[in-house]
Amino acid sequence: MEHLTYGEVEAAGRRIAGRVRPVTVAPGDDEGRLWLALEYLQHTGSFKARGAQNFLLAHTEAGTLPPAGVTIASGGNAGLACAWAARELGVRATVFLPETAPPVKVARLRSYGAEVRLAGREYAEALAACEEFATGSGALASHAYDHPLIAAGAGTVLEEILARVPGLDTVVVSVGGGGLFAGVAAAAREHGVRVVAVEPVGSRALGAALAAGHPVDVAVESVAADSLGARRATALAVHAARQDGVRTVLVPDSAIVEARQALWDERRIAVEHAAATALAAVTGPAGSDGADGERIAVLLCGANTDPSDLVVAG
């Protein structure tokens, strides 16, 4: 079965050192038990920059990066990260989006130097066009989350959190397709850190895979679906979730919205609903601060959000 090793995360850390922003960690309470890993401050606004850098650097090292560059179908965090990483390395990037993509996303991708191509009305059509382009041009096809190099790059954030929070017991991460979770879990297992993998009730690809015994397609309906809306979890994530020291948790959209609003009200932090999903597992109605003295880090993974619905609490 596919699994990610700690060695792959270590190698990713060496590759991307000095190329990404080290994560900032801030206290989440007054007792020194809850810590917030502010990865939303990363280049392009999410952890995806780590995996994109690792993916392109590894192919560059191996001599497998073609003249046609890299291509990806994604108007979200993965597309932005791929375009940014390609620009940083002087690599051509071609990003496919559906014709319905918001102009602001197209403009931002182009600001990173990417060639943007619009195809079809839905993501699946853009993906098909991307795959056809990769075949015809020889461009290297990247993926938003389902690749060991992408997951290993994401996992490097755990090493940085540990350097800032000695004695960390548990790390809490949001899960969509599972790339971030698989990478973090591989590093956490090496250091004896427990992992809590959090999914919205309406977007539970990992939970469904665990129940079925293998990855399966699921329906997606959640306020966090723009980032956690993968219909199928990766085999890497399913393997990681079956290991000791890993717990999976479901949170309702109401708790996600409440956690996101609380971050704004109390700290003026504006994050995606995906980032607030992890926090909701700790602070929401079904949440728990853990055992006495347990030190918990919550990974706030991205900030590409429309903050207009974050209002000051009266």
Side-chain angles (χ1 to χ4, degrees):
M1 178 177 290
E2 282 190 271
H3 69 281
L4 197 68
T5 68
Y6 178 61
E8 290 173 282
V9 178
E10 279 190 309
R14 290 191 293 271
R15 283 193 195 100
I16 69 175
R19 295 180 177 271
V20 298
R21 294 171 180 158
V23 69
T24 296
V25 178
D29 61 16
D30 296 328
E31 291 76 42
R33 293 176 57 198
L34 180 63
W35 298 84
L36 303 178
L38 311 183
E39 182 64 359
Y40 68 90
L41 297 173
Q42 187 55 260
H43 290 290
T44 75
S46 86
F47 72 94
K48 296 283 189 180
R50 295 174 181 271
Q53 278 276 0
N54 189 47
F55 181 81
L56 290 179
L57 285 167
H59 280 284
T60 300
E61 290 173 5
T64 52
L65 189 60
V70 64
T71 186
I72 191 171
S74 170
N77 291 338
L80 291 170
C82 182
W84 168 79
R87 184 192 68 179
E88 294 297 295
L89 298 175
V91 174
R92 291 176 58 188
T94 306
V95 181
F96 284 80
L97 302 175
E99 296 166 358
T100 52
V104 65
K105 286 189 174 182
V106 175
R108 190 167 181 200
L109 285 164
R110 285 178 175 155
S111 76
Y112 288 133
E115 179 183 347
V116 179
R117 299 193 182 189
L118 304 178
R121 303 285 299 173
E122 298 179 357
Y123 171 75
E125 294 173 280
L127 177 61
C130 178
E131 292 171 344
E132 182 178 352
F133 171 77
T135 300
S137 68
L140 177 66
S142 185
H143 194 278
Y145 55 87
D146 194 4
H147 194 284
L149 289 169
I150 298 292
T156 60
V157 71
L158 192 277
E159 300 284 336
E160 296 175 12
I161 294 172
L162 285 173
R164 291 155 179 76
V165 188
L168 181 68
D169 297 295
T170 301
V171 61
V172 186
V173 298
S174 304
V175 180
L180 173 64
F181 161 63
V184 167
R189 187 163 57 248
E190 177 72 15
H191 296 287
V193 174
R194 292 183 289 275
V195 182
V196 178
V198 190
E199 294 182 291
V201 169
S203 183
R204 50 187 302 179
L206 180 60
L210 291 172
H214 55 85
V216 294
D217 287 338
V218 298
V220 174
E221 186 175 353
S222 169
V223 69
D226 59 335
S227 294
L228 302 182
R231 294 192 176 276
R232 177 177 287 241
T234 71
L236 293 174
V238 176
H239 180 273
R242 289 177 172 147
Q243 306 308 300
D244 292 340
V246 175
R247 183 163 64 97
T248 58
V249 174
L250 295 174
V251 293
D253 275 6
S254 58
I256 295 170
V257 171
E258 183 178 333
R260 180 171 175 266
Q261 184 68 49
L263 282 169
W264 176 251
D265 291 342
E266 298 167 14
R267 301 173 181 274
R268 287 299 182 266
I269 289 176
V271 296
E272 302 172 18
H273 286 99
T277 297
L279 185 62
V282 178
T283 62
S288 168
D289 287 332
D292 289 344
E294 182 180 9
R295 307 191 86 190
I296 302 170
V298 176
L299 185 59
L300 301 182
C301 54
N304 290 316
T305 185
D306 181 354
S308 63
D309 59 346
L310 290 169
V311 295
V312 177

